[in-house]
Amino acid sequence: PILGPEHQGSQYINQKGYFSMVLQALVDHKGRFTNISVGWPGKVHDARVFKNSGLFRRLQQGVYFPDRKITVGDVEMPTVILGDPAYPLMPWLMKPYTGALDTEKELFNYRLSKCRMVVECAFGRLKGRWRSLLTRSDLSPKNIPIVI
């Protein structure tokens, strides 16, 4: 939550009804933040923030994970990121299935959700360490990205 800005305040009201600023983060499999983007008004959809980020551009160009592959059993696989249903399906981004699902797709979604728990835990640790993130920031919108 942030203090409502003087100009274009309605753009900062998120879908939960309070003023905010979007923080997009990429977390690795060990819960370490490897990329962040902050500064978009709270009303902006996550997919739009992502598509306009430097991370998205580097992933599209193939320079964020250049030629990094992992072997699972005897299958070589590319490195991918995990996203929620709001994100676009890309060769380097896995997201859950939506709509009517069969048992196989439900199982996939369940396993994907378990993997994404690393992200939830990373944000939990972040908020635990920096307790000020749990309360409203009274900084100006131009200073919040610098502090974050």
Side-chain angles (χ1 to χ4, degrees), residues 2 21-23 36-40 130 133 137 139-148:
I2 64 170
M21 189 173 282
V22 177
L23 167 62
I36 67 164
S37 176
V38 64
W40 285 80
W130 302 101
L133 295 174
S137 172
L139 297 170
S140 72
K142 71 175 188 170
N143 289 330
I144 291 173
I146 296 165
V147 170
I148 297 297

Side-chain angles (χ1 to χ4, degrees), residues 123-137:
F123 272 100
R125 284 192 309 279
L126 180 72
K127 292 175 185 177
R129 174 64 178 92
W130 302 101
R131 306 291 292 169
S132 62
L133 295 174
L134 297 173
T135 60
R136 185 184 76 192
S137 172

Side-chain angles (χ1 to χ4, degrees), residues 84-102:
D84 66 22
Y87 290 94
L89 183 61
M90 306 296 286
W92 38 261
L93 190 147
M94 293 176 76
K95 65 183 235 173
Y97 287 101
T98 56
L101 307 178
D102 60 25

Side-chain angles (χ1 to χ4, degrees), residues 21-38:
M21 189 173 282
V22 177
L23 167 62
Q24 172 188 277
L26 182 64
V27 176
D28 71 8
H29 65 287
K30 293 182 180 179
R32 299 176 297 199
F33 288 86
T34 61
N35 184 282
I36 67 164
S37 176
V38 64

Side-chain angles (χ1 to χ4, degrees), residues 31-62:
R32 299 176 297 199
F33 288 86
T34 61
N35 184 282
I36 67 164
S37 176
V38 64
W40 285 80
K43 189 174 189 171
V44 178
H45 193 273
D46 292 347
R48 181 173 172 208
V49 172
F50 181 56
K51 282 194 167 188
N52 285 284
S53 69
L55 173 63
F56 184 85
R57 284 188 295 280
R58 290 193 302 276
L59 288 163
Q60 279 287 80
Q61 295 165 354

